[in-house]
Amino acid sequence: AHNRSISLVRNERYPGTRALLDRVVFRILPEEGARLVALETGEVDLVEGIPPDTARRLEQDEDVVIKTTGSRRFYYLQWNCRSPWFADAPTRRALSLALDRDRMIATLLPGFASPAIGPLPPVVWNYHPALDPDPYDPDRARRILAEAGWEDTDGDGILERDGRPFAIEILTKQGDPVRENGAVMLRTFLGDVGVDVRIRAMELAAGLELLREGRFDAYLGRLNANLYGDPRGSVHSAAVEEFNTGRYANAAVDSLVDLALTIVDRKAALPLWFEVQELLVGDPPAAYLFYPHNLVGTSARIRDAEPHMLSPINNLVEWWIAPGDRRYASGKS
């Protein structure tokens, strides 16, 4: 049907691996709710981008299989490094330790994510597997903050430094439940170590304008890492017009990134990328929160479907349907 579906049939003259299915129909269902209903009722056999809370419910449905793939996305709390609150690395490091990533994942993405260590997720080639995510350690966070000059001199529960109370605003995007609810959790975690947090959820365009102009304290955002494993756009001091909206600047990070990008041999470049990620732990431009999984729901009747990060139909030629599960006459299934 025009603008509603696309049908593909097996090319019998194709010289490569012969597809096992005779025909595949792609249906266009713009509304998320309609897609999920179609999957549950058996009208369609695959839907990608399943919301995490829905995925947990669908796991109980014997007619649906939930498959997870890694993704290039990561959620992060960007610090404005030109702010008097976040200009020093120890303060930024301490606040990262105040955040309970496991609790955020369990609450916001019911388990369908992994804690983040930096701007390179596990699916990219130069991810540092030996680094651990920051643990939830509010006591250590308080000690580091005290060493960095923060103290509650008037007993109101809010830290001060140089006469300035640690009162900040977290900017985030409206309409994303993970970010809106996540900001509330961040306010609680940071409040527990003496930071007074306000939340400002804005329409995306208006929020991005504030980011570009540097008129924010902290920003709860989401980015997609590129497939080349190049984090330059969010960590290099020259990338303020890209994603380094917090104006982070570390000369060692800059030089390592610049050098690594000139090395074509991945094996030779890998130690440099590992060193970059190690530096970002000690001097973080952001509190990296979690890497959400990509969730794909398939009908149980589809066999051997193996969604991939790059495509949910990555191995389409290998899919098959047992005779007893077929709904259409042979030659049109």
Side-chain angles (χ1 to χ4, degrees):
H2 182 64
N3 287 340
R4 292 178 59 189
S5 66
I6 301 170
S7 296
L8 302 180
V9 297
R10 182 173 56 218
N11 180 359
E12 301 296 350
R13 294 186 296 276
Y14 179 62
T17 303
R18 184 178 188 270
L20 300 178
L21 297 176
D22 301 310
R23 182 178 66 138
V24 177
V25 179
F26 294 88
R27 289 185 56 193
I28 299 166
L29 298 171
E31 295 297 324
E32 180 182 87
R35 293 194 294 271
L36 297 174
V37 169
L39 178 64
E40 290 186 81
T41 58
E43 289 183 49
V44 301
D45 292 300
L46 182 143
V47 172
E48 67 172 326
I50 304 287
D53 52 350
T54 304
R56 280 288 175 234
R57 177 173 59 79
L58 291 177
E59 283 185 324
Q60 312 307 314
D61 186 336
E62 62 182 14
D63 295 324
V64 175
V65 178
I66 297 296
K67 297 178 181 285
T68 66
T69 74
S71 80
R72 296 181 291 125
R73 292 172 293 157
F74 61 91
Y75 284 85
Y76 65 109
L77 185 60
Q78 171 81 66
W79 311 118
N80 186 343
C81 296
R82 293 190 179 174
S83 152
W85 295 288
F86 304 121
D88 63 300
T91 295
R92 288 180 263 123
R93 179 84 178 97
L95 297 186
S96 183
L97 295 168
L99 309 178
D100 190 341
R101 290 162 175 78
D102 289 335
R103 187 169 157 197
M104 294 187 79
I105 290 169
T107 303
L108 302 171
L109 294 159
F112 291 116
S114 57
I117 63 163
L120 295 173
V123 296
V124 299
W125 69 275
N126 51 353
Y127 169 79
H128 197 325
L131 289 181
D132 293 320
D134 276 342
Y136 175 51
D137 194 342
D139 289 336
R140 185 177 166 202
R142 293 184 189 98
R143 289 196 300 272
I144 296 174
L145 288 169
E147 292 166 2
W150 293 99
E151 57 180 330
D152 180 11
T153 55
D154 56 9
D156 66 350
I158 306 301
L159 297 172
E160 302 99 29
R161 185 170 67 182
D162 300 329
R164 184 192 300 267
F166 208 158
I168 66 169
E169 180 178 83
I170 292 179
L171 177 67
T172 196
K173 174 180 175 289
Q174 284 179 343
D176 177 357
V178 173
R179 277 185 262 193
E180 290 192 333
N181 296 327
V184 175
M185 298 186 75
L186 291 172
R187 180 173 61 191
T188 299
F189 297 144
L190 295 175
D192 286 344
V193 298
V195 183
D196 182 20
V197 175
R198 301 180 310 280
I199 298 170
R200 186 178 185 185
M202 297 185 69
E203 185 271 330
L204 182 60
L208 290 178
E209 185 176 350
L210 292 181
L211 284 180
R212 282 192 295 267
E213 295 172 355
R215 294 191 293 125
F216 72 101
D217 300 324
Y219 171 66
L220 174 54
R222 189 185 76 189
L223 278 179
N224 281 350
N226 58 52
L227 291 173
Y228 305 108
D230 173 10
R232 183 186 183 282
S234 63
V235 303
H236 198 287
S237 64
V240 294
E241 298 298 322
E242 298 175 63
F243 302 110
N244 183 12
T245 52
R247 275 66 175 174
Y248 173 77
N250 180 309
V253 169
D254 283 355
S255 60
L256 282 167
V257 168
D258 289 340
L259 179 58
L261 289 174
T262 68
I263 301 175
V264 177
D265 180 354
R266 285 187 168 186
K267 186 176 180 180
L270 197 57
L272 300 179
W273 288 123
F274 282 2
E275 191 174 349
V276 167
Q277 291 167 83
E278 291 163 8
L279 287 172
L280 294 177
V281 171
D283 181 18
Y288 298 99
L289 301 174
F290 40 82
Y291 308 118
H293 300 158
N294 187 40
L295 303 175
V296 178
T298 68
S299 167
R301 79 190 190 105
I302 299 293
R303 312 297 177 90
D304 290 345
E306 296 296 338
H308 186 270
M309 171 187 70
L310 296 178
S311 170
I313 58 170
N314 174 61
N315 69 327
L316 182 59
V317 297
E318 299 173 12
W319 295 10
W320 60 282
I321 301 171
D325 292 330
R326 293 174 187 167
R327 297 183 184 144
Y328 307 102
S330 178
K332 295 185 180 179
S333 177

Coordinates of all heavy atoms in Angstrom, one line a residue, residues 38-113:
A38 N 0.7 -3.9 17.6 CA 0.8 -4.8 16.4 C 1.7 -6.0 16.7 O 1.5 -7.1 16.3 CB 1.3 -4.0 15.2
L39 N 2.8 -5.7 17.5 CA 3.7 -6.8 17.9 C 3.0 -7.8 18.9 O 3.1 -9.0 18.7 CB 4.9 -6.2 18.6 CG 6.0 -7.2 19.1 CD1 6.6 -8.0 18.0 CD2 7.1 -6.5 19.9
E40 N 2.3 -7.2 19.9 CA 1.6 -8.1 20.8 C 0.5 -8.9 20.2 O 0.3 -10.1 20.7 CB 1.1 -7.2 22.0 CG 2.1 -6.6 22.9 CD 1.5 -5.9 24.1 OE1 1.2 -6.6 25.1 OE2 1.4 -4.7 24.0
T41 N -0.2 -8.4 19.2 CA -1.3 -9.1 18.6 C -0.8 -10.0 17.5 O -1.6 -10.7 16.9 CB -2.3 -8.1 18.1 OG1 -1.8 -7.2 17.2 CG2 -2.9 -7.3 19.3
G42 N 0.5 -10.0 17.1 CA 1.0 -10.8 16.1 C 0.8 -10.2 14.7 O 1.1 -10.9 13.7
E43 N 0.4 -9.0 14.6 CA 0.2 -8.4 13.2 C 1.6 -8.1 12.6 O 1.7 -8.2 11.4 CB -0.5 -7.0 13.4 CG -2.0 -7.1 13.7 CD -2.6 -5.7 13.7 OE1 -2.3 -4.9 12.7 OE2 -3.3 -5.4 14.7
V44 N 2.6 -7.8 13.4 CA 4.0 -7.7 12.9 C 4.9 -8.6 13.7 O 4.6 -9.0 14.8 CB 4.5 -6.2 13.0 CG1 3.5 -5.3 12.2 CG2 4.6 -5.7 14.4
D45 N 6.1 -8.8 13.1 CA 7.0 -9.8 13.7 C 8.2 -9.2 14.3 O 9.0 -9.9 15.0 CB 7.4 -10.9 12.7 CG 6.2 -11.8 12.3 OD1 5.7 -12.4 13.2 OD2 5.8 -11.8 11.1
L46 N 8.5 -7.9 14.0 CA 9.6 -7.2 14.6 C 9.3 -5.7 14.8 O 8.8 -5.1 13.9 CB 10.9 -7.4 13.8 CG 12.2 -6.8 14.3 CD1 13.4 -7.7 14.0 CD2 12.4 -5.4 13.8
V47 N 9.7 -5.2 16.0 CA 9.6 -3.8 16.3 C 10.9 -3.4 17.0 O 11.3 -4.1 18.0 CB 8.4 -3.4 17.1 CG1 8.5 -2.0 17.6 CG2 7.1 -3.7 16.4
E48 N 11.6 -2.4 16.5 CA 12.8 -1.9 17.2 C 12.4 -0.7 18.1 O 11.4 -0.1 18.0 CB 13.9 -1.6 16.3 CG 13.6 -0.4 15.4 CD 14.9 0.0 14.6 OE1 16.0 -0.2 15.1 OE2 14.7 0.4 13.4
G49 N 13.4 -0.4 19.0 CA 13.2 0.8 19.9 C 12.1 0.6 20.9 O 11.3 1.5 21.2
I50 N 12.0 -0.6 21.4 CA 11.0 -0.9 22.5 C 11.3 -0.2 23.7 O 12.5 -0.2 24.2 CB 10.9 -2.4 22.8 CG1 10.7 -3.3 21.5 CG2 9.9 -2.7 23.9 CD1 9.3 -3.2 21.0
P51 N 10.4 0.6 24.3 CA 10.7 1.3 25.6 C 11.0 0.3 26.7 O 10.4 -0.8 26.7 CB 9.4 2.0 25.9 CG 8.6 2.1 24.6 CD 9.0 0.9 23.9
P52 N 11.9 0.6 27.6 CA 12.4 -0.3 28.6 C 11.3 -0.9 29.5 O 11.2 -2.1 29.8 CB 13.4 0.5 29.4 CG 13.9 1.5 28.5 CD 12.7 1.9 27.6
D53 N 10.3 0.0 29.9 CA 9.3 -0.5 30.8 C 8.4 -1.5 30.0 O 7.9 -2.5 30.6 CB 8.5 0.6 31.4 CG 8.0 1.6 30.4 OD1 8.4 1.5 29.2 OD2 7.1 2.5 30.7
T54 N 8.1 -1.2 28.8 CA 7.3 -2.1 28.0 C 8.1 -3.4 27.7 O 7.4 -4.5 27.7 CB 7.0 -1.5 26.6 OG1 6.3 -0.2 26.8 CG2 6.1 -2.4 25.8
A55 N 9.4 -3.3 27.5 CA 10.2 -4.6 27.3 C 10.1 -5.5 28.5 O 9.9 -6.7 28.3 CB 11.6 -4.2 27.1
R56 N 10.1 -5.0 29.7 CA 10.0 -5.8 30.9 C 8.6 -6.5 30.9 O 8.6 -7.7 31.2 CB 10.1 -5.0 32.2 CG 11.6 -4.7 32.5 CD 12.3 -5.9 33.1 NE 13.7 -5.6 33.3 CZ 14.7 -6.3 32.8 NH1 14.5 -7.3 32.0 NH2 15.9 -6.0 33.1
R57 N 7.6 -5.8 30.5 CA 6.2 -6.5 30.5 C 6.2 -7.5 29.3 O 5.7 -8.6 29.5 CB 5.2 -5.4 30.3 CG 3.8 -5.9 30.1 CD 2.8 -4.8 30.1 NE 3.0 -3.9 29.0 CZ 2.6 -4.1 27.7 NH1 2.0 -5.3 27.4 NH2 2.8 -3.2 26.8
L58 N 6.7 -7.2 28.2 CA 6.7 -8.1 27.1 C 7.5 -9.4 27.3 O 7.2 -10.4 26.7 CB 7.1 -7.4 25.8 CG 6.2 -6.3 25.2 CD1 6.9 -5.7 24.0 CD2 4.9 -6.9 24.9
E59 N 8.5 -9.3 28.2 CA 9.3 -10.5 28.5 C 8.4 -11.6 29.1 O 8.8 -12.8 29.0 CB 10.4 -10.1 29.5 CG 11.6 -9.4 28.8 CD 12.7 -9.2 29.8 OE1 12.4 -8.9 31.0 OE2 13.9 -9.3 29.4
Q60 N 7.2 -11.2 29.6 CA 6.3 -12.2 30.2 C 5.4 -12.8 29.1 O 4.7 -13.8 29.4 CB 5.5 -11.6 31.3 CG 6.3 -10.8 32.3 CD 7.4 -11.5 32.9 OE1 7.3 -12.7 33.4 NE2 8.6 -10.9 33.0
D61 N 5.5 -12.3 27.9 CA 4.6 -12.8 26.8 C 5.3 -13.8 26.1 O 6.4 -13.6 25.4 CB 4.3 -11.6 25.9 CG 3.2 -11.9 24.9 OD1 3.1 -13.1 24.5 OD2 2.6 -11.0 24.3
E62 N 4.8 -15.1 26.1 CA 5.5 -16.2 25.4 C 5.5 -16.0 23.9 O 6.3 -16.7 23.2 CB 4.8 -17.5 25.8 CG 3.3 -17.6 25.4 CD 2.7 -18.9 25.8 OE1 3.3 -19.6 26.7 OE2 1.6 -19.2 25.3
D63 N 4.7 -15.1 23.4 CA 4.7 -15.0 21.9 C 5.7 -13.9 21.4 O 5.8 -13.6 20.2 CB 3.3 -14.6 21.4 CG 2.3 -15.7 21.7 OD1 2.7 -16.9 21.5 OD2 1.1 -15.4 22.0
V64 N 6.4 -13.2 22.4 CA 7.3 -12.2 22.0 C 8.6 -12.5 22.6 O 8.7 -12.9 23.8 CB 6.8 -10.8 22.5 CG1 7.8 -9.7 22.3 CG2 5.4 -10.4 21.9
V65 N 9.7 -12.2 21.9 CA 11.1 -12.3 22.4 C 11.7 -10.9 22.4 O 11.7 -10.3 21.3 CB 11.9 -13.3 21.5 CG1 13.3 -13.4 22.0 CG2 11.2 -14.7 21.5
I66 N 12.3 -10.5 23.5 CA 13.0 -9.3 23.6 C 14.5 -9.5 23.4 O 15.1 -10.3 24.2 CB 12.7 -8.5 24.9 CG1 11.3 -8.2 25.1 CG2 13.6 -7.3 25.0 CD1 10.8 -7.2 24.0
K67 N 15.1 -8.9 22.5 CA 16.5 -9.0 22.2 C 17.2 -7.7 22.5 O 16.6 -6.6 22.1 CB 16.8 -9.5 20.8 CG 16.2 -10.9 20.5 CD 16.4 -11.3 19.1 CE 15.8 -12.7 18.8 NZ 16.6 -13.8 19.4
T68 N 18.4 -7.7 23.1 CA 19.1 -6.5 23.4 C 20.4 -6.4 22.5 O 21.0 -7.4 22.2 CB 19.5 -6.4 24.8 OG1 20.4 -7.4 25.2 CG2 18.3 -6.5 25.7
T69 N 20.7 -5.2 22.1 CA 21.9 -5.0 21.4 C 22.6 -3.8 22.1 O 21.9 -3.0 22.7 CB 21.8 -4.7 19.9 OG1 21.2 -3.3 19.7 CG2 20.8 -5.7 19.2
G70 N 23.9 -3.7 21.9 CA 24.6 -2.5 22.4 C 24.2 -1.3 21.5 O 23.6 -1.5 20.5
S71 N 24.4 -0.2 22.0 CA 24.1 1.0 21.3 C 25.2 2.0 21.4 O 26.1 1.9 22.3 CB 22.8 1.6 21.7 OG 22.9 2.4 22.9
R72 N 25.2 3.0 20.6 CA 26.3 4.1 20.7 C 25.9 5.2 21.6 O 26.6 6.2 21.8 CB 26.5 4.6 19.2 CG 27.1 3.6 18.3 CD 27.4 4.2 16.9 NE 26.1 4.5 16.2 CZ 25.9 5.7 15.7 NH1 26.7 6.7 15.9 NH2 24.7 5.9 15.0
R73 N 24.7 5.1 22.2 CA 24.2 6.2 23.0 C 24.8 6.2 24.4 O 25.1 5.2 24.9 CB 22.6 6.1 23.1 CG 21.9 6.4 21.8 CD 20.4 6.1 22.0 NE 20.2 4.6 22.2 CZ 19.2 4.1 22.8 NH1 18.2 4.9 23.3 NH2 19.0 2.8 22.9
F74 N 24.9 7.4 25.0 CA 25.2 7.5 26.4 C 24.6 8.7 27.0 O 24.4 9.7 26.3 CB 26.7 7.5 26.7 CG 27.5 8.6 26.1 CD1 27.7 9.8 26.8 CD2 28.0 8.5 24.8 CE1 28.4 10.8 26.2 CE2 28.8 9.6 24.2 CZ 29.0 10.7 24.9
Y75 N 24.1 8.6 28.2 CA 23.6 9.7 29.0 C 24.7 10.2 29.9 O 25.5 9.5 30.4 CB 22.4 9.3 29.9 CG 21.1 9.0 29.1 CD1 20.8 7.8 28.5 CD2 20.1 10.1 29.0 CE1 19.6 7.6 27.8 CE2 19.0 9.9 28.4 CZ 18.7 8.6 27.7 OH 17.5 8.5 27.1
Y76 N 24.7 11.6 30.0 CA 25.8 12.2 30.8 C 25.3 13.5 31.4 O 24.3 14.1 30.9 CB 27.0 12.5 29.8 CG 26.6 13.5 28.8 CD1 27.2 14.8 28.8 CD2 25.7 13.2 27.7 CE1 26.9 15.8 27.8 CE2 25.4 14.2 26.8 CZ 26.0 15.4 26.8 OH 25.7 16.4 25.9
L77 N 26.0 13.9 32.5 CA 25.7 15.2 33.1 C 26.9 16.1 32.8 O 27.9 16.0 33.4 CB 25.5 15.0 34.6 CG 25.1 16.2 35.4 CD1 23.7 16.8 34.9 CD2 25.0 15.9 36.9
Q78 N 26.7 17.0 31.9 CA 27.7 17.9 31.4 C 27.9 19.0 32.4 O 27.0 19.7 32.8 CB 27.3 18.5 30.1 CG 28.2 19.6 29.5 CD 29.5 19.0 28.9 OE1 29.4 18.4 27.9 NE2 30.6 19.3 29.5
W79 N 29.2 19.2 32.8 CA 29.5 20.3 33.7 C 29.9 21.5 32.9 O 30.6 21.4 31.9 CB 30.6 20.0 34.7 CG 30.5 18.7 35.4 CD1 31.3 17.6 35.3 CD2 29.5 18.3 36.4 NE1 30.9 16.6 36.2 CE2 29.8 17.0 36.8 CE3 28.4 19.0 36.9 CZ2 29.0 16.3 37.8 CZ3 27.6 18.3 37.8 CH2 27.9 17.0 38.2
N80 N 29.5 22.7 33.3 CA 30.0 23.9 32.7 C 31.4 24.3 33.4 O 31.4 24.8 34.5 CB 29.1 25.1 32.9 CG 29.5 26.3 32.1 OD1 30.7 26.5 31.7 ND2 28.6 27.3 31.9
C81 N 32.5 23.9 32.7 CA 33.8 24.1 33.4 C 34.2 25.5 33.6 O 35.3 25.7 34.2 CB 34.8 23.3 32.6 SG 34.5 21.5 32.5
R82 N 33.5 26.4 33.0 CA 33.8 27.9 33.2 C 33.1 28.4 34.4 O 33.2 29.6 34.7 CB 33.6 28.7 31.9 CG 34.5 28.3 30.8 CD 34.4 29.2 29.6 NE 35.4 28.8 28.6 CZ 35.4 29.4 27.4 NH1 34.6 30.4 27.1 NH2 36.3 29.0 26.5
S83 N 32.2 27.6 35.0 CA 31.5 28.1 36.2 C 32.4 28.0 37.4 O 33.3 27.1 37.5 CB 30.3 27.2 36.4 OG 29.9 27.1 37.7
P84 N 32.3 28.9 38.3 CA 33.1 28.8 39.6 C 32.9 27.5 40.3 O 33.8 27.1 41.1 CB 32.7 30.0 40.4 CG 31.4 30.4 39.8 CD 31.4 30.0 38.4
W85 N 31.8 26.9 40.1 CA 31.5 25.6 40.9 C 32.3 24.5 40.3 O 32.7 23.5 41.0 CB 30.0 25.3 40.8 CG 29.1 26.3 41.6 CD1 29.0 26.4 42.9 CD2 28.3 27.2 41.0 NE1 28.2 27.4 43.2 CE2 27.7 27.9 42.0 CE3 27.9 27.6 39.7 CZ2 26.7 28.9 41.8 CZ3 27.0 28.6 39.4 CH2 26.4 29.3 40.5
F86 N 32.5 24.5 39.0 CA 33.0 23.3 38.3 C 34.3 23.5 37.6 O 34.8 22.6 36.8 CB 32.0 22.8 37.2 CG 30.6 22.5 37.8 CD1 29.5 23.2 37.3 CD2 30.4 21.6 38.8 CE1 28.3 23.0 37.8 CE2 29.2 21.4 39.4 CZ 28.1 22.1 38.9
A87 N 35.0 24.6 37.9 CA 36.3 24.9 37.2 C 37.4 23.9 37.7 O 38.3 23.6 36.9 CB 36.7 26.3 37.5
D88 N 37.3 23.3 38.9 CA 38.3 22.4 39.4 C 37.9 21.0 39.2 O 36.7 20.6 39.5 CB 38.6 22.8 40.8 CG 37.5 22.5 41.8 OD1 36.4 23.2 41.6 OD2 37.5 21.7 42.7
A89 N 38.8 20.2 38.8 CA 38.6 18.7 38.6 C 38.1 18.0 39.8 O 37.3 17.1 39.8 CB 39.8 18.1 38.0
P90 N 38.7 18.3 41.0 CA 38.3 17.5 42.2 C 36.8 17.6 42.5 O 36.1 16.7 42.9 CB 39.1 18.1 43.4 CG 40.4 18.6 42.7 CD 39.9 19.1 41.3
T91 N 36.2 18.8 42.3 CA 34.8 19.0 42.6 C 34.0 18.2 41.6 O 33.1 17.5 42.0 CB 34.4 20.5 42.4 OG1 35.0 21.2 43.5 CG2 32.9 20.7 42.5
R92 N 34.4 18.2 40.3 CA 33.6 17.4 39.3 C 33.8 15.9 39.6 O 32.8 15.1 39.5 CB 34.2 17.7 37.9 CG 33.8 19.1 37.4 CD 34.3 19.4 36.0 NE 35.5 20.2 36.1 CZ 36.7 19.8 35.5 NH1 36.8 18.7 34.9 NH2 37.7 20.6 35.6
R93 N 35.0 15.5 40.0 CA 35.2 14.1 40.3 C 34.4 13.7 41.5 O 33.8 12.6 41.5 CB 36.7 13.9 40.6 CG 37.1 12.5 41.0 CD 37.4 11.7 39.8 NE 37.8 10.3 40.2 CZ 37.0 9.3 40.3 NH1 35.7 9.4 40.0 NH2 37.4 8.1 40.6
A94 N 34.3 14.5 42.5 CA 33.5 14.2 43.7 C 32.1 14.0 43.4 O 31.4 13.1 43.9 CB 33.7 15.3 44.8
L95 N 31.5 14.9 42.6 CA 30.1 14.8 42.3 C 29.7 13.6 41.5 O 28.6 13.0 41.7 CB 29.6 16.1 41.5 CG 29.8 17.4 42.3 CD1 29.2 18.6 41.5 CD2 29.1 17.3 43.7
S96 N 30.7 13.1 40.7 CA 30.4 11.8 40.0 C 30.3 10.7 41.0 O 29.5 9.8 40.8 CB 31.6 11.6 39.0 OG 31.3 10.4 38.3
L97 N 31.1 10.7 42.0 CA 31.0 9.7 43.0 C 29.8 9.7 43.9 O 29.4 8.8 44.6 CB 32.3 9.7 44.0 CG 33.6 9.5 43.3 CD1 34.7 9.9 44.2 CD2 33.7 8.0 42.9
A98 N 29.1 10.8 43.8 CA 27.8 11.0 44.6 C 26.6 10.4 43.9 O 25.5 10.4 44.5 CB 27.6 12.5 44.9
L99 N 26.8 9.9 42.7 CA 25.7 9.4 41.8 C 25.5 7.9 41.8 O 26.5 7.2 41.6 CB 25.8 10.0 40.4 CG 26.1 11.5 40.3 CD1 26.3 11.8 38.8 CD2 25.0 12.3 40.9
D100 N 24.4 7.4 42.1 CA 24.1 6.0 42.2 C 23.6 5.5 40.8 O 22.4 5.5 40.5 CB 23.1 5.7 43.2 CG 22.9 4.2 43.5 OD1 23.3 3.4 42.6 OD2 22.4 3.8 44.6
R101 N 24.6 5.2 39.9 CA 24.2 4.8 38.6 C 23.4 3.5 38.5 O 22.5 3.4 37.7 CB 25.5 4.6 37.8 CG 26.2 5.9 37.5 CD 27.7 5.7 37.1 NE 28.3 6.9 36.7 CZ 28.8 7.8 37.5 NH1 28.6 7.7 38.8 NH2 29.4 8.9 37.1
D102 N 23.7 2.5 39.4 CA 22.9 1.3 39.4 C 21.4 1.6 39.7 O 20.5 1.0 39.1 CB 23.5 0.3 40.4 CG 24.8 -0.3 39.9 OD1 25.1 -0.3 38.7 OD2 25.6 -0.7 40.8
R103 N 21.2 2.5 40.6 CA 19.8 2.8 41.0 C 19.1 3.5 39.9 O 17.9 3.3 39.6 CB 19.8 3.6 42.3 CG 18.4 3.9 42.8 CD 18.5 4.5 44.2 NE 17.3 5.2 44.6 CZ 17.3 6.1 45.6 NH1 18.3 6.3 46.3 NH2 16.1 6.7 45.8
M104 N 19.9 4.4 39.2 CA 19.3 5.1 38.0 C 18.9 4.1 36.9 O 17.8 4.2 36.4 CB 20.3 6.2 37.5 CG 20.5 7.3 38.5 SD 21.6 8.6 37.7 CE 20.3 9.5 36.8
I105 N 19.8 3.2 36.7 CA 19.5 2.2 35.6 C 18.3 1.3 36.0 O 17.4 1.1 35.2 CB 20.7 1.3 35.4 CG1 21.8 2.1 34.7 CG2 20.4 0.1 34.5 CD1 23.2 1.4 34.6
A106 N 18.2 0.9 37.3 CA 17.1 0.1 37.7 C 15.8 0.8 37.7 O 14.7 0.2 37.3 CB 17.4 -0.5 39.1
T107 N 15.8 2.1 37.9 CA 14.6 2.9 38.0 C 14.2 3.4 36.7 O 13.0 3.4 36.3 CB 14.8 4.1 39.0 OG1 15.2 3.6 40.3 CG2 13.5 4.9 39.1
L108 N 15.1 3.9 35.9 CA 14.8 4.7 34.7 C 14.7 3.8 33.5 O 13.9 4.0 32.5 CB 15.8 5.8 34.4 CG 16.0 6.8 35.5 CD1 17.2 7.7 35.2 CD2 14.7 7.7 35.7
L109 N 15.5 2.7 33.4 CA 15.6 1.8 32.3 C 15.5 0.4 32.6 O 16.2 -0.4 32.0 CB 16.9 2.1 31.6 CG 17.1 3.4 31.0 CD1 18.6 3.7 30.8 CD2 16.4 3.5 29.6
P110 N 14.5 0.1 33.5 CA 14.5 -1.2 34.3 C 15.6 -2.2 33.9 O 15.3 -3.3 33.4 CB 13.1 -1.7 34.2 CG 12.4 -0.8 33.3 CD 13.2 0.3 33.0
G111 N 16.9 -1.9 34.2 CA 17.9 -2.8 34.0 C 18.5 -2.9 32.6 O 19.6 -3.5 32.4
F112 N 17.9 -2.2 31.6 CA 18.4 -2.3 30.2 C 19.5 -1.2 29.9 O 19.3 -0.4 29.0 CB 17.2 -2.2 29.3 CG 16.3 -3.4 29.3 CD1 15.0 -3.2 29.7 CD2 16.7 -4.6 28.9 CE1 14.1 -4.3 29.7 CE2 15.9 -5.7 28.9 CZ 14.6 -5.5 29.3
A113 N 20.5 -1.2 30.6 CA 21.6 -0.3 30.4 C 22.8 -0.8 31.3 O 22.7 -1.7 32.1 CB 21.2 1.1 30.9

